[in-house]
Amino acid sequence: MSLPMQPSRWRFFAAPMLTIAMLAVNGVAVEELPDGFIVTGMGGRGVPGGGLVEARHDHRIAMSALVMGSAARAAVSVDDIAMIATSYPAF
């Protein structure tokens, strides 16, 4: 999923789309709905991983992807993590 760059306020509204993209690119079954999304659990198989997450300068997406990657079967990459240091320097 490719999203256009927008002002930072837009990220608040784009977070569900970014979350869906983050999960899907890492092999998680996710269904987008008009008012949210449904994630199908992976059970004992765990998250496949192996995807490159586009954080779009949103520390929440970047941090979520990194946490997911810590338990994924394959490494999860994030395109940019610099914004994390601004909000959470010790992360």
Side-chain angles (χ1 to χ4, degrees), residues 71-87:
R73 294 191 310 238
V76 172
S77 300
V78 179
D79 65 343
D80 183 11
I81 60 169
M83 81 297 290
I84 295 173
T86 303
S87 303

Side-chain angles (χ1 to χ4, degrees), residues 1-3 5 18 22 25-26 51-59 61-63 65-66 76-84:
M1 172 184 292
S2 182
L3 300 172
M5 295 298 292
L18 295 172
M22 173 190 67
V25 76
N26 284 288
L52 173 61
V53 175
E54 293 182 44
R56 298 290 178 178
H57 306 284
D58 189 326
H59 70 273
I61 300 301
M63 293 171 72
L66 294 172
V76 172
S77 300
V78 179
D79 65 343
D80 183 11
I81 60 169
M83 81 297 290
I84 295 173

Side-chain angles (χ1 to χ4, degrees), residues 9-70:
R9 180 183 154 140
W10 181 83
R11 284 196 309 265
F12 174 77
F13 300 103
M17 291 185 297
L18 295 172
T19 301
I20 290 166
M22 173 190 67
L23 294 169
V25 76
N26 284 288
V28 177
V30 58
E31 177 186 354
E32 187 173 1
L33 303 172
D35 60 346
F37 55 93
I38 297 172
V39 177
T40 301
M42 303 301 294
R45 297 175 292 152
V47 174
L52 173 61
V53 175
E54 293 182 44
R56 298 290 178 178
H57 306 284
D58 189 326
H59 70 273
R60 300 166 301 170
I61 300 301
M63 293 171 72
S64 296
L66 294 172
V67 170
M68 178 176 62
S70 70

